[in-house]
Each structure stands twice: as structure tokens, then as C-alpha cells.
Amino acid sequence: MKQKHTNWFFTIIVAIALFSSCVENNTPQMVPAYVDGKWGYVNSNGEYVISPRYKEAGFFFEDLALVKDDNGSYGYIDKAAQYVIAPKYKFGTSFHEGKAIVVEAGEYPICIDKKGNTVLQLQNIKELYNFKEGLAAFQDTSNMYGFINEKGNIVIAPTFEAVYEGFNGNHAPVKRNGKWGFVDKNGNFSISEYCYVASDYYDASEFVQKFAEKVTESTFDGFNASSTVQTIADSKVYGDYANAIDSTTIIALNIQKFTKDIQCIVTEFSFDNRIVSLDSLDNKTIVYDLTEPIASFGYKFFLSGQATNKGCAIAKRLSNEIASKLGVEKQQEEGLFYAIQENGKCSFVVLYNDTTVSLAVSYSQKNIENLIEHIRKDQPKYVKDFVYVDSLEGEK
């Protein structure tokens, strides 16, 4: 585990809600990071590749990222931090299918291409959404929703009270007369259009088998009830990739690819007490308390390819295997699987959505129970989606 000779900690945004839409070639490359009031970008090793300089920064989509400058205007940069589209917009979306939706102060939304050229502009539109499958949802001044094509022609009249995301294949979820249904690209609406049930099965055998090799009745991934910061530093898997991101958290950013569709994008270690301080001699060097016990640790798995939308099936298989290895009975609630044992024995919880599966592990019964309580309140704390920098300068 490398100590950083700086007076601030790295901060990493690991948007699991969101990594599905900000990953190119299935490999996270440049991630927004926040320090001292500015946003920049780091790579998967936690190294800044674009120094913090923006008031806001989004993920890269189609090689362009939406950023906000010091004047409060939005524009688009490339991966060399060069503005491809000058910051002049009040709001903007990410690029999708080669187009983004932007709005200038006091104007209607317009659609632009990747050179900033206006593709189309419609009057009397309150909202305009990204194009999907060649069609974009819009809301007119009567607050009703319809769809336009890439030429700006209305192909589905605004007769819906709400839309959800847009087209996926030949259908889009829409709401009419208080009821949700589907509209096809010809404008035909049907509440019962989908009268079948799709399989939620996913063969997670390869992933589960590989990850389960980390689990024994007495240790989990090489950690046990007495593991400390020193254990992480000595780990052949995590030691060279682990850094503190705040006073009680260490994350390791080495990507572990278990299958072509499932990879671990971050491993996080949490502690009950602070684990870092500034060296008393120079007040700059970060010093770790290597004896502090690990309170809990966890993994966030990114799902791509055929694993996308199969979070439940994967979480179910993973939790079954872990429970079997630990010799404990698994429990289940909506959105999560878990098993709780007495202090000194391994407890865990698996949380999932369409594109991520998060696994938290602890040898403290209380820690897992607290985590489950946060999840029940819709306040998941594992793994952090947003992590902000704590400066140590005020602690001299």
C-alpha cells in the first residue's frame, strides 16, 4: 500500500449506479474526481489524468464529457481536456447516438452534433430527451409527451402524460390516462403489449466458482476477524493498489475480471477509527495506523454484456455459494441477500440492481446489521457512489 506524499487524499467517483453508462469497451478509463472544490479525472490507478479545474464534471460518453466552467456554463471536452464544444450552455445532456440536447439561457432546447452544430431546434418544446433508436421524446407546452425523429418531425403525437427513458427496441414505456403501457414506433399504444415473461436466469457458474475460491469457513479473501491495515498493505492482490480516500476508508482500484461479463471495479475497506494522520515532522506525509482492525470490506461488481439486467440472478447464485462455504443459512429481502452470524464469524450482505452487484463482508455482527438497516431505508453505504476529499491541513 503506497503512501501519498500530499496534503490531500484522492477521491474517486464509482458510479455503480452508474458505471453501466460510463464505461467504454467494458473497462473504466477516466473517472470524475473531486478535490478542494474542483472536479478533474483520474484513471483506474487513482492517478489524475486531467487536473481538477471544473465546477462540475460528467462521465465520458462517446469520447466527450459534459463539464461546467467557473462561469457556470456547460461545454464538452475530449480526453485531452480540450473543449470540443465551447462552454456556453445553461444545461446539457451527455452524448448518445452522436447527439446531445442543450439549452442556452432563455432559449428552447436544441439538439447538437459532436462538433456543436445544431441538428434541429423545435419551438414550443419544454423538454427534449436524448435520441434512442432514432427517436427522441419531447414535452410540449401542454405538458404532454410525444416523439420526434432526427429530422425534427413529430412521428408520435404528444398524447402521453409521462415517458420513461425512451425506446428500447421497438417499444417505449409511456403513460396515458393514468396507466402505463407501451407505444411502438407507429404510435400504437397498448397496456397489454407484453403478455409474456422473460427468463431472469443467468448462468453465473464461472463467476461464482472463481470468486468462491476466495472464501473459506475461517477467512474471506485472505481476511479474518483480526485483519488490520497492515494485512491490506501485505496483500498480494490489493497492497499495491490501496489508498486511503478519507480518514476511515481505504479503496483498491485494481480491476478483477472474473468473466467477460463480470468484473470487480473497486474493493473498499472501512474502519471504526481513523487510520491516517499527518506526520508530526513535516505535516505533509500521510502516516497509516497499521494496527487498526478492519471493520468491514466490500466489492462492487460491474455487469456488462449478457450479465446486464441479471443482477438478481447473479446475486442469488453468489449469496448461495458464500452461505454454503460459510455453513450459514441465507436470508432474503427485496433487493438483497444476507447472512448474519455472531461476532468473530463472517457475516455478509449482497445488494444488486440491473448493472451492479455489491457485496459487503464483516466479522462484526453489528456492522452488517447497521448496513442492512441503511439499505432498508434506501441509504446504501456500500460501496460509496460518491466519495469526497477530506483535507488534513486543518488538523495540524
Side-chain angles (χ1 to χ4, degrees), residues 132-135 155-156 167 169-172 183-188:
K132 292 188 176 181
E133 305 286 344
L135 298 179
V155 295
I156 299 177
F167 275 87
N170 293 319
H171 295 83
V183 62
D184 63 23
K185 291 185 176 181
N186 294 318
N188 300 312

Side-chain angles (χ1 to χ4, degrees), residues 352-373:
Y352 64 88
N353 58 32
D354 287 344
T355 56
T356 59
V357 171
S358 297
L359 164 65
V361 180
S362 180
Y363 287 89
S364 165
Q365 177 181 351
K366 181 180 179 180
N367 282 341
I368 291 296
E369 288 176 340
N370 287 342
L371 175 59
I372 293 174
E373 187 62 29

Side-chain angles (χ1 to χ4, degrees), residues 16-301:
I16 273 82
L18 52 188
F19 247 80
S20 62
S21 58
C22 54
V23 174
E24 296 179 0
N25 299 325
N26 294 335
T27 303
Q29 295 292 336
M30 297 173 64
V31 182
Y34 177 92
V35 61
D36 295 337
K38 295 289 185 179
W39 287 88
Y41 292 84
V42 295
N43 61 21
S44 58
N45 293 323
E47 302 163 337
Y48 271 97
V49 290
I50 298 179
S51 62
R53 65 187 74 173
Y54 307 109
K55 293 185 70 173
E56 294 180 13
F59 289 100
F60 279 89
F61 294 82
E62 300 183 2
D63 295 323
L64 295 179
L66 179 70
V67 298
K68 186 178 183 180
D69 68 7
D70 288 336
N71 296 321
S73 297
Y74 288 91
Y76 296 84
I77 61 169
D78 60 20
K79 292 184 177 180
Q82 300 298 313
Y83 275 105
V84 176
I85 301 174
K88 61 178 182 178
Y89 302 108
K90 186 174 181 179
F91 301 109
T93 71
S94 58
F95 271 88
H96 191 75
E97 296 184 3
K99 294 175 285 294
I101 310 301
V102 295
V103 62
E104 295 188 44
E107 300 293 336
Y108 288 110
I110 62 174
C111 177
I112 61 173
D113 63 20
K114 296 175 75 171
K115 294 183 178 180
N117 300 319
T118 298
V119 176
L120 62 91
Q121 180 175 19
L122 300 178
Q123 301 297 316
N124 301 319
I125 285 185
K126 295 180 63 176
E127 296 179 359
L128 182 59
Y129 291 69
N130 271 342
F131 278 89
K132 292 188 176 181
E133 305 286 344
L135 298 179
F138 71 92
Q139 183 188 44
D140 65 11
T141 53
S142 68
N143 297 325
M144 300 300 285
Y145 292 87
F147 293 85
I148 61 172
N149 61 20
E150 294 177 342
K151 295 181 179 180
N153 299 323
I154 297 176
V155 295
I156 299 177
T159 59
F160 306 106
E161 299 150 20
V163 300
Y164 180 75
E165 291 191 346
F167 275 87
N168 183 6
N170 293 319
H171 295 83
V174 292
K175 186 178 183 181
R176 176 183 283 174
N177 298 328
K179 294 183 178 181
W180 283 93
F182 295 91
V183 62
D184 63 23
K185 291 185 176 181
N186 294 318
N188 300 312
F189 175 75
S190 174
I191 294 176
S192 59
E193 178 69 34
Y194 287 0
C195 55
Y196 61 86
V197 174
S199 171
D200 192 45
Y201 177 79
Y202 176 82
D203 186 1
S205 302
E206 181 183 3
F207 162 65
V208 170
Q209 181 179 357
K210 288 183 177 180
F211 187 81
E213 294 174 356
K214 295 175 175 286
V215 186
T216 70
E217 191 172 350
S218 57
T219 64
F220 200 110
D221 203 4
F223 303 102
N224 56 35
S226 60
S227 294
T228 64
V229 176
Q230 182 69 62
T231 311
I232 302 171
D234 293 339
S235 170
K236 294 181 180 180
V237 177
Y238 304 109
D240 289 338
Y241 303 94
N243 284 288
I245 56 169
D246 58 36
S247 59
T248 59
T249 309
I250 288 174
I251 64 171
L253 289 174
N254 52 318
I255 298 172
Q256 302 179 68
K257 190 168 185 177
F258 293 94
T259 70
K260 67 177 182 178
D261 294 335
I262 305 176
Q263 54 187 329
C264 178
I265 56 177
V266 65
T267 307
E268 178 181 312
F269 303 87
S270 296
F271 302 85
D272 291 332
N273 302 307
R274 63 180 301 113
I275 56 170
V276 291
S277 61
L278 290 178
D279 185 87
S280 59
L281 298 178
D282 62 16
N283 284 323
K284 293 181 179 180
T285 304
I286 294 176
V287 179
Y288 289 88
D289 179 359
L290 298 176
T291 64
E292 178 65 26
I294 301 172
S296 57
F297 53 97
Y299 314 80
K300 178 162 271 190
F301 304 98

